């Protein structure tokens, strides 16, 4: 895997500061916010300086029951090529549900939701990842996400789920240590155990981010400083493997550049502390191996023929780190299979695939499950995800087995996320409505699930207000004019900055 170094998430709000920051080896940009034909000037300048740019997707929904949308995959591939990226990344999550597969209304979550760690979900995810791999011009890495809720009846730990995914598809992993911390607080999962179960050799890079405790749970906000427990998990990971890259994420509530640089410094120190521990472990291991060799009876060497001894020495010389990593990976795989009560690899005819060469290496030892089995798994997974998402965004009953209180927390978090994003894609709305915007949008979100993206959501929200006679003053005319500009066949202004300036002037004239 290419060494990336230390990086930061590129966002338009901090673009100038990122360009001036010392020691930035690479950046990551939200793929959906980048147009391949019109790259932001800041990203172009970074590329010209030799700074690597990685597109980070948020809307594929690889963990959903449907196959990945061909148009979204094409767009992601175009962004990777335009940026000259060595890889692209996405999430192990579902972001929409319903539709023809389940004969139910199509619903959008507007955010990342966890997939159940079950055999059905794993089979579907593996096929979706393979589809994406075939459509992308560069390698794909997928990220573990933070979760507020637990699926009932899960069959694997997070580490086992990620291990099997990488083993079966050859996909690389983007490990978010902040999400491991979130799942530790919210789900009681041990980050150290998850790291011990991961295929460390598959890690492409690592995310680090801050969060906040609210409603009795930890929210992975990307809007707060990185807490000490997250840095400790990073040190734990670095004590096991040297990650090819580490990146600081910040999406909102941006501090002064000096504070971001301080956080990057803390990340580097956490990595150094882990590297020291890793070196100590390697030295102890080497010392133990040397001691074992010295105590080995000399007669063992005499029993070997001269040719065998020479071959053995050549094998030890060539093996090096690669063989040690391979042996460690095999040991972790067998340990994980044993914990799940599975037969060791190669036992009898348990294998489901006979692929060899590149295909076998990419798809792993077990190969893809039968087509009929995946289609049936998609149906079952689709029904389960549609029922959960409907409870979260449409107010239908919470499916059996879920924690109702946690589902309520997740539902409020999704509505708040919608309000925040709509305010960004349609900044005139908060200006026109003032303090009334947020409560009005949250009330609207309770009965109006998102079905077609945030821009359509903004228009539907405005339509809802106008149809109910709100707002009841001069702002109603301004809101109607905004809606006509956005929804009419020939908008009167194609320059959003001018629309925002006009709305701001009107708001100030009322004060």
């Amino acid at each position: 895997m290419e060494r990336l170094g230390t990086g930061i998430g590129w966002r338009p709000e901090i673009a100038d500061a990122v360009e001036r920051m010392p020691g930035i080896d690479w950046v990551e940009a939200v793929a959906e916010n980048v147009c391949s034909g019109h790259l932001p000037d800041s990203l172009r300048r970074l590329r010209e300086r030799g700074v690597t740019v990685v597109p980070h997707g948020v809307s594929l929904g690889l963990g959903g029951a449907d196959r990945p949308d061909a148009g979204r995959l094409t767009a992601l591939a175009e962004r990777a090529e335009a940026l000259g990226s060595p890889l692209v990344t996405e999430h192990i999550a579902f972001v929409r549900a319903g539709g023809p597969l389940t004969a139910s209304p199509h619903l959008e979550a507007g955010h990342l939701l966890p997939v159940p760690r079950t055999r059905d979900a794993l089979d579907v995810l593996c096929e979706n990842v393979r589809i994406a791999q075939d459509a992308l011009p560069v390698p794909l890495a997928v990220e573990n996400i933070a979760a507020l809720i637990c699926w009932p009846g899960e069959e694997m730990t997070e580490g086992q789920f990620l291990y099997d995914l990488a083993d079966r598809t050859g996909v690389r992993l983007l490990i978010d240590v902040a999400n491991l911390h979130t799942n530790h607080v919210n789900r009681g999962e041990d980050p150290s155990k998850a790291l011990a179960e991961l295929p460390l050799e598959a890690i492409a890079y690592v995310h680090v981010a801050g969060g906040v405790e609210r409603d009795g749970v930890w929210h992975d906000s990307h809007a707060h400083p990185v807490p000490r427990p997250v840095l400790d998990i990073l040190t734990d990971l670095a004590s096991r493997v040297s990650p090819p890259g580490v990146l600081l994420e910040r999406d909102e509530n941006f501090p002064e550049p000096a504070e971001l640089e301080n956080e990057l410094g803390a990340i580097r120190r956490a990595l150094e502390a882990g590297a020291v521990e890793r070196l100590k472990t390697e030295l102890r291991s080497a010392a133990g191996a040397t001691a074992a060799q010295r105590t080995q009876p000399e007669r063992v060497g005499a029993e070997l023929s001269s040719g065998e001894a020479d071959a053995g020495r050549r094998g030890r010389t060539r093996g090096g780190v690669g063989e040690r990593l391979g042996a460690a990976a095999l040991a972790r795989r067998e340990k994980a299979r044993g914990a799940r009560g599975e037969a060791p690899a190669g036992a009898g005819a348990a294998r489901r695939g006979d692929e060899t060469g590149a295909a076998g290496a990419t798809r792993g030892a077990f190969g893809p499950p039968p087509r009929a089995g995946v289609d049936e798994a998609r149906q079952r997974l689709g029904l389960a995800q549609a029922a959960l998402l409907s409870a979260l965004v449409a107010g239908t009953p919470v499916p059996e087995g879920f924690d109702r209180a946690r589902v309520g927390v997740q539902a409020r978090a999704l509505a708040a996320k919608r309000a925040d994003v709509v305010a960004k894609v349609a900044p005139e709305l908060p200006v026109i409505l003032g303090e009334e915007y947020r409560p009005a949008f949250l009330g609207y979100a309770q009965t109006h699930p998102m079905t077609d993206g945030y821009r359509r959501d903004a228009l539907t929200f405005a339509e809802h207000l106008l149809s109910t006679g709100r707002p009841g003053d001069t702002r109603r005319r301004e809101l109607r004019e905004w809606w006509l500009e956005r929804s009419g066949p020939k908008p009167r202004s194609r320059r959003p900055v001018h629309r925002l300036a006009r709305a701001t002037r009107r708001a100030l004239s009322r004060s």
Side-chain angles (χ1 to χ4, degrees):
M1 177 63 210
E2 178 177 332
R3 302 297 300 184
L4 294 170
T6 304
I8 190 169
W10 182 92
R11 303 294 184 266
E13 296 89 339
I14 57 172
D16 291 341
V18 169
E19 286 190 65
R20 294 192 299 267
M21 280 183 190
I24 296 297
D25 302 309
W26 66 292
V27 299
E28 181 190 77
V30 176
E32 287 77 1
N33 294 344
V34 175
C35 178
S36 57
H38 303 281
L39 295 178
D41 290 341
S42 174
L43 285 182
R44 285 196 299 101
R45 287 191 294 267
L46 288 170
R47 287 289 301 127
E48 290 168 0
R49 282 167 40 190
V51 176
T52 298
V53 182
V54 174
H56 185 54
V58 297
S59 65
L60 271 186
L62 291 172
D66 290 313
R67 291 174 175 82
D69 178 74
R72 294 181 190 275
L73 283 172
T74 298
L76 185 57
E78 290 173 349
R79 286 156 181 150
E81 290 178 331
L83 293 167
S85 306
L87 78 164
V88 298
T89 57
E90 249 288 351
H91 297 83
I92 302 171
F94 79 100
V95 297
R96 59 188 66 88
L101 182 65
T102 58
S104 60
H106 174 82
L107 298 174
E108 293 276 347
H111 198 46
L112 307 167
L113 293 174
V115 301
R117 297 169 193 158
T118 61
R119 295 295 173 191
D120 274 355
L122 182 61
D123 286 346
V124 171
L125 177 61
C126 285
E127 184 172 82
N128 288 349
V129 164
R130 292 186 189 105
I131 292 171
Q133 288 171 320
D134 290 342
L136 294 170
V138 293
L140 170 68
V142 290
E143 178 183 355
N144 59 303
I145 73 163
L148 296 178
I149 54 178
C150 299
W151 281 85
E154 291 193 318
E155 300 165 346
M156 287 171 273
T157 65
E158 181 161 43
Q160 292 168 346
F161 192 82
L162 294 175
Y163 190 101
D164 282 4
L165 171 65
D167 187 41
R168 287 170 54 174
T169 65
V171 74
R172 296 171 182 178
L173 299 178
L174 192 180
I175 298 301
D176 191 315
V177 292
N179 291 347
L180 292 179
H181 172 67
T182 300
N183 293 345
H184 169 63
V185 176
N186 295 344
R187 300 171 52 136
E189 298 175 353
D190 183 357
S192 183
K193 180 181 179 184
L195 292 177
E197 293 175 334
L198 288 178
L200 300 177
E201 61 277 6
I203 293 178
Y205 61 89
V206 177
H207 270 175
V208 182
V212 64
E213 187 173 349
R214 190 172 57 245
D215 289 332
V217 297
W218 186 265
H219 293 260
D220 180 47
S221 66
H222 293 191
H224 298 82
V226 178
R228 184 73 249 171
V230 171
L231 293 173
D232 290 341
I233 298 172
L234 177 61
T235 296
D236 187 1
L237 186 151
S239 73
R240 303 166 189 267
V241 69
S242 176
V246 179
L247 181 126
L248 172 64
E249 285 189 295
R250 190 72 175 241
D251 294 335
E252 299 178 75
N253 191 27
F254 297 101
E256 292 298 317
E259 185 175 333
L260 292 175
E261 291 175 22
N262 288 338
E263 289 199 273
L264 287 167
I267 287 171
R268 293 186 181 99
R269 289 190 294 275
L271 289 171
E272 291 168 0
V276 169
E277 292 302 315
R278 187 174 69 253
L279 179 60
K280 290 179 181 178
T281 300
E282 291 172 354
L283 290 174
R284 286 194 296 267
S285 177
T290 301
Q293 288 178 353
R294 288 174 177 170
T295 58
Q296 187 178 21
E298 294 182 1
R299 60 182 175 80
V300 173
E303 292 173 358
L304 296 172
S305 68
S306 176
E308 290 172 336
D310 290 341
R313 282 192 294 272
R314 287 194 299 271
R316 287 194 296 273
T317 301
R318 287 194 301 264
V321 176
E323 285 191 1
R324 291 198 298 274
L325 282 176
L330 180 60
R332 284 195 298 273
R333 177 186 300 180
E334 296 307 327
K335 183 178 179 181
R337 286 173 178 153
R340 296 193 297 272
E342 298 176 0
R351 293 189 176 188
R352 292 185 290 179
D354 288 325
E355 294 172 307
T356 58
T362 298
R363 300 197 186 282
F366 288 92
R371 164 66 60 187
V374 178
D375 289 343
E376 292 171 0
R378 287 187 184 279
Q379 184 76 28
R380 291 189 293 267
L381 182 64
L383 290 170
Q385 290 180 339
L388 174 60
L389 187 52
S390 181
L392 289 170
V393 303
T396 57
V398 176
E400 185 178 355
F402 283 94
D403 184 319
R404 294 176 182 274
R406 283 294 178 87
V407 170
V409 172
Q410 180 72 82
R412 292 190 293 274
L414 290 178
K417 180 72 173 180
R418 279 178 69 187
D420 291 342
V421 178
V422 166
K424 289 183 178 180
V425 301
E428 304 90 348
L429 290 178
V431 173
I432 293 171
L433 298 173
E435 295 181 357
E436 189 178 333
Y437 165 74
R438 194 168 187 85
F441 188 91
L442 294 178
Y444 152 84
Q446 289 180 354
T447 56
H448 293 76
M450 184 166 61
T451 59
D452 193 22
Y454 284 111
R455 287 178 173 79
R456 180 68 252 179
D457 203 23
L459 286 171
T460 305
F461 169 55
E463 292 168 6
H464 167 73
L465 290 181
L466 293 170
S467 68
T468 57
R470 292 183 293 165
D473 50 29
T474 57
R475 293 174 297 171
R476 178 176 171 80
R477 178 173 60 83
E478 296 169 26
L479 182 62
R480 183 174 181 276
E481 287 186 0
W482 176 87
W483 179 80
L484 287 172
E485 286 183 336
R486 285 295 186 95
S487 63
K490 293 183 180 179
R492 284 172 283 181
S493 173
R494 294 184 180 274
R495 291 184 285 185
V497 173
H498 287 193
R499 291 198 302 269
L500 177 58
R502 187 165 60 250
T504 303
R505 285 195 298 271
R506 289 171 178 166
L508 290 173
S509 68
R510 293 196 302 267
S511 59

